[in-house]
Amino acid sequence: MAQSNTLSSETSPTTSQSAVPITVARGDGIGPEIMQATLDILQAAGARLEIQEIEIGEQLYNKGIMSGIEDSSWDSILKTRVFLKAPITTPQGGGVKSLNVTTRKTLGLYANVRPCVSYHPFVRTKHPTMDVVIVRENEEDLYAGIEHRQTDEVYQCLKLISRPGSEKIVRYAFEYAVANNRKKVTCFTKDNIMKFTDGLFHKVFDEVAAEYPQIENEHWIVDIGAAKLADSPEAFDVVVMPNLYGDILSDVAAQIAGSVGLAGSANIGEKAAMFEAIHGSAPRRAGQNLANPSGLLLGAVQMLVHIGQQDVAQSVHNAWLRTLEDGVHTYDIFKEGVSKQKVGTREFAEAVVARVGQLPQQLKAVQYNAPAAKSGAAKPIYTPVKPAKKALKGVDVFVHCAGISPNDLGAKVTALQLENLPLQVISNRGQKVFPQGFAETFCTDHWRCRFVGANDGDITHQDVITLLGRFAAAGLDFIKTEHLCTFDGEKGWTAAQGT
Ligand code: NAD
């Protein structure tokens, strides 16, 4: 059930603005404690918010609501379009889908923005000058969650990358760089291997980068890029990545900056936004007044910028920096010789409240002039894709077949080919095994039989159906097909490894 209350302050620098409705969820584990601390600080700094509270997570799962959220709560989020969310505990297995992933995808929150900043010498880090913002694509890639078990031995997860999805996130990264006076945007992909999916992301990056000549741009293959980021983060500024790499590397970046407990994150969409800490609900620390509220607080600072309360954001952020600098630390960042006072969640919040209006003395004070990059800023966020001239040229038929050699399967499948649709190659986990495979290649029970139209000719859906009929009649268990199409004459498939 949504409840309402209003935070406001007579001394607020934004008293002329009306209160902005937001939805708040206190979450699970340490969530309620760090949310209370965050709200106390926002209130003391004069944030003008009209809060609607909703329940999510464990309480709902325990009631058998496996989505972790009730319909009335969606109503609140859809009305306020701004969601400040504490971490929740996701039960392992049992058909429960992650509420975080559901929320991001339902609301179209395509950009996940995680600033990873070091606070040397007040928080221990090997990278004293690190100041990196990870912009992670949030809706697609392997997180489409489309997975299948296809054979006894093989499971599949589909990696989906779209042109609009790539353009939206890359454009967001450049708009963010412009709005926040950043100098460079780096892209990480693995397009030397995934030439189509990551290749598209990289291509779109190059196209969009050309529209922002004032911002330096570069691309790294993600493996060596990740190594460089972990070793010399000061070489990076804004880094944009597909979903999975961004998920992993934003945690690495936050941790090497000092602690995952210090980083906040914004999930931005065209119509809504969600703000949170990057850490989880830390159930072992719950209810002990131990947790560090900083990650959620910095997520809330991003929220204040998003809703146009830059002055409050600045005041909260600077008071927080001053608190760190004064050595008032929770257990997770406490260090003898550097820290002065070990405090609990509540005392930390009180220390920040006491410093509202103060600036840090050694750490660089933050200044929020412009709103954060918003989707739909100066330019349309993506260009509609023009349909290409598509021609069907062949088909990959995937088969579940155990205890057979590549040559025997090759002979069996060759006998099924159509005159205009001959067998070209059989591969096993992408590696060619027929014709002329290597005896050394390890084979599973999952085979791909590729048929390509004779003399580069077009084929029809009926050809595919006829072919599959022959597979069925021969007792070969086909488990899926993929069409081989050209788009404006360009091949829409990659070659098997080893051809
Ligand atoms: P976690 O981030 O909750 O905690 C890992 C450890 O980090 C904790 O044991 C604690 O020592 C430390 N820690 C984390 N946040 C801290 C803080 N604010 N202050 C002090 N110490 C802190 O990771 P986990 O244990 O892997 O996950 C626990 C639960 O949280 C799981 O159910 C997981 O699914 C969920 N989770 C939720 C979110 C989210 O809601 N956004 C994100 C990640 C994990």
Side-chain angles (χ1 to χ4, degrees), residues 148-157 399-404 428-429 441-447 477 479:
H148 296 97
R149 179 173 181 175
Q150 297 189 314
T151 68
D152 290 321
E153 294 178 343
V154 175
Y155 297 68
Q156 172 191 270
C157 175
V399 202
H400 176 186
C401 193
I404 191 165
N428 196 294
R429 291 177 305 159
T441 306
F442 179 77
C443 289
T444 66
D445 59 1
H446 182 276
W447 311 81
D477 179 13
I479 47 177

Side-chain angles (χ1 to χ4, degrees), residues 30 34 85-92 100 104 260-261 276-285 290-293 331-332:
I30 58 172
I34 60 174
K85 181 186 142 298
I88 57 163
T89 304
T90 309
Q92 304 280 310
N100 293 320
R104 289 169 190 159
V260 280
E276 57 186 345
I278 77 166
H279 60 74
S281 59
R284 282 189 306 125
R285 311 286 179 190
L290 277 175
N292 188 345
Y331 83 93
D332 54 317

Side-chain angles (χ1 to χ4, degrees), residues 82-400:
V82 180
F83 184 19
L84 180 62
K85 181 186 142 298
I88 57 163
T89 304
T90 309
Q92 304 280 310
V96 174
K97 283 268 180 187
S98 156
L99 176 59
N100 293 320
V101 177
T102 306
T103 309
R104 289 169 190 159
K105 293 179 75 159
T106 308
L107 298 175
L109 310 182
Y110 65 90
N112 188 314
V113 185
R114 295 184 174 185
C116 301
V117 183
S118 63
Y119 306 100
H120 174 80
F122 307 103
V123 178
R124 183 156 50 174
T125 171
K126 293 184 182 127
H127 308 288
T129 59
M130 176 172 181
D131 183 2
V132 176
V133 179
I134 307 283
V135 178
R136 160 190 170 195
E137 197 290 316
N138 224 9
E139 290 181 290
E140 39 189 63
D141 194 0
L142 289 154
Y143 290 63
I146 306 175
E147 295 192 286
H148 296 97
R149 179 173 181 175
Q150 297 189 314
T151 68
D152 290 321
E153 294 178 343
V154 175
Y155 297 68
Q156 172 191 270
C157 175
L158 278 187
K159 172 165 168 128
L160 297 177
I161 303 265
S162 74
R163 179 171 263 279
S166 303
E167 188 176 342
K168 282 195 305 186
I169 192 66
V170 170
R171 192 170 293 290
Y172 186 89
F174 278 94
E175 289 289 333
Y176 181 95
V178 171
N180 292 280
N181 202 21
R182 298 270 173 169
K183 304 288 178 264
K184 182 167 77 171
V185 179
T186 304
C187 174
F188 283 0
T189 72
K190 187 77 184 171
D191 66 337
N192 53 335
I193 303 296
M194 284 161 278
K195 297 187 193 320
F196 274 39
T197 48
D198 282 22
L200 174 64
F201 196 92
H202 185 175
K203 190 164 171 224
V204 169
F205 176 79
D206 288 344
E207 289 168 10
V208 173
E211 295 175 33
Y212 297 83
Q214 74 278 34
I215 306 284
E216 196 188 326
N217 72 82
E218 62 179 8
H219 172 268
W220 289 72
I221 299 292
V222 62
D223 41 11
I224 189 63
K228 176 83 176 166
L229 178 68
D231 183 65
S232 321
E234 57 288 342
F236 297 99
D237 193 344
V238 175
V239 190
V240 64
M241 288 178 248
N243 206 339
L244 178 64
Y245 312 141
D247 191 3
I248 297 166
L249 291 178
S250 56
D251 269 25
V252 171
Q255 185 64 24
I256 65 171
S259 164
V260 280
L262 294 180
S265 108
N267 297 271
I268 309 282
E270 278 178 85
K271 301 199 174 86
M274 173 171 82
F275 302 87
E276 57 186 345
I278 77 166
H279 60 74
S281 59
R284 282 189 306 125
R285 311 286 179 190
Q288 298 160 61
N289 190 36
L290 277 175
N292 188 345
S294 298
L296 185 60
L297 183 67
L298 292 185
V301 166
Q302 287 177 284
M303 177 191 77
L304 290 169
V305 175
H306 178 80
I307 62 175
Q309 296 190 17
Q310 281 84 356
D311 42 6
V312 189
Q314 190 167 311
S315 152
V316 169
H317 202 152
N318 284 326
W320 176 79
L321 287 169
R322 181 65 185 262
T323 309
L324 276 194
E325 221 180 59
D326 287 347
V328 183
H329 293 167
T330 43
Y331 83 93
D332 54 317
I333 57 167
F334 186 87
K335 190 168 166 268
E336 281 311 333
V338 175
S339 308
K340 300 215 168 65
Q341 204 186 337
K342 191 188 266 184
V343 291
T345 315
R346 269 193 307 275
E347 296 72 28
F348 183 82
E350 284 161 14
V352 178
V353 167
R355 287 164 178 78
V356 167
Q358 295 182 26
L359 293 176
Q361 306 294 293
Q362 285 186 61
L363 293 168
K364 196 162 164 252
V366 294
Q367 216 180 346
Y368 292 110
N369 298 322
K374 288 230 171 89
S375 40
K379 306 184 180 172
I381 61 169
Y382 69 90
T383 324
V385 177
K386 271 207 255 121
K389 188 167 178 303
K390 190 174 167 191
L392 184 57
K393 295 289 185 183
V395 63
D396 281 347
V397 181
F398 290 77
V399 202
H400 176 186

